Amino acid sequence: MDKQKIRDRILEIGIVPVVRAASSQQAVIAADAVCRGGIPIVEITMTVPGAVEVIRQLRKSSLAEVLIGAGTVLDVEMARVCADAGAQFLVSPGLNLETVEFAVSQGVLMMAGALTPTEVITAWKAGSDFVKVFPCGNVGGAKYIKALKGPLPQVPLVPTGGVNLDTAAEFIEAGAAALGVGGELLQAEALKTGKAEIIVENARKFLKIVKETRARMASAHIAATTLV
């Protein structure tokens, strides 16, 4: 799957599950659960023990339509190792321009982390396909995304941090291109106790919220256009 198709799939689904697990086994269970819940996208963070091998394993075993990415990628060396393991997209918690440049040169989709307007603009102009706004919940949540989208409507923002079942719709309404969701979707206790069905159900709930919110916004836009 080429970068454009990967980008389109992320936009279509609208949710990027962020897997932080205590073991590689838990990470694989989490990946399987979100996929069964209807989200064919998984971001394996480098904080997971044996994360690179998990990515390699998932890429070998997953169906072609499931996207496997690497998260918490801090530098070029880490980015290269993840790309070699088969990561189809790279996500960083902060802005490292060398990593963005590497991703662009390799044709790998990049979701660079940023927080301030200056960082968002810098990441976008450097070639990041999406800009991850992190930690979004600590700086205003959906209101902050709406504020950024005012002067930067062309930048696809992916808020991460503060996204849960109560706030997901607000983030979509504020203009988020997709949502980065971690612990609220992949609950640590569910992974620890092997209750994967909880994660499956969470995935379905998040997916439903995104679809229904987008549909409602589209209907409102059509109604407003008709009135004009």
Side-chain angles (χ1 to χ4, degrees):
M1 189 181 295
D2 62 30
K3 186 165 77 167
Q4 185 57 50
K5 289 182 179 179
I6 292 171
R7 183 179 185 278
D8 291 344
R9 175 59 62 85
I10 291 173
L11 288 172
E12 175 193 355
I13 301 299
I15 303 167
V16 179
V18 183
V19 178
R20 296 187 186 281
S23 69
S24 57
Q25 182 181 11
Q26 286 186 11
V28 172
I29 292 172
D32 176 70
V34 295
C35 289
R36 286 196 287 127
I39 305 175
I41 304 170
V42 180
E43 175 192 330
I44 303 297
T45 66
M46 291 299 99
T47 58
V48 173
V52 175
E53 288 306 314
V54 172
I55 290 172
R56 184 175 285 110
Q57 178 184 340
L58 290 174
R59 283 288 283 139
K60 288 180 179 179
S61 62
S62 295
L63 298 175
E65 63 268 20
V66 179
L67 302 181
I68 309 298
T72 321
V73 177
L74 304 179
D75 50 42
V76 173
E77 181 179 355
M78 193 177 291
R80 182 176 289 107
V81 171
C82 292
D84 288 345
Q88 295 165 288
F89 62 93
L90 304 173
V91 186
S92 63
L95 180 57
N96 181 285
L97 288 176
E98 291 181 349
T99 302
V100 178
E101 291 166 3
F102 169 80
V104 171
S105 70
Q106 298 299 308
V108 179
L109 186 139
M110 184 71 207
M111 193 180 295
L115 187 61
T116 68
T118 298
E119 290 178 342
V120 171
I121 294 169
T122 302
W124 177 244
K125 287 188 173 294
S128 189
D129 301 277
F130 293 90
V131 178
K132 169 182 174 175
V133 181
F134 174 80
C136 194
N138 298 74
V139 292
K143 291 181 179 179
Y144 187 59
I145 294 298
K146 184 176 182 179
L148 289 173
K149 290 296 288 186
L152 303 170
Q154 76 279 26
V155 182
L157 303 176
V158 181
T160 306
V163 180
N164 54 49
L165 291 172
D166 293 325
T167 62
E170 296 174 6
F171 277 107
I172 295 296
E173 291 169 351
L179 309 175
V181 191
E184 293 293 332
L185 168 57
L186 300 146
Q187 296 171 353
E189 189 61 27
L191 286 174
K192 183 179 179 180
T193 57
K195 297 179 179 178
E197 288 304 318
I198 293 177
I199 297 171
V200 173
E201 186 57 31
N202 285 341
R204 289 172 179 158
K205 288 178 181 178
F206 273 104
L207 202 57
K208 182 180 180 181
I209 290 172
V210 171
K211 288 183 177 179
E212 291 183 348
T213 304
R214 285 176 170 176
R216 185 169 63 251
M217 292 171 65
S219 296
H221 177 71
I222 293 173
T225 303
T226 302
L227 289 174
V228 172

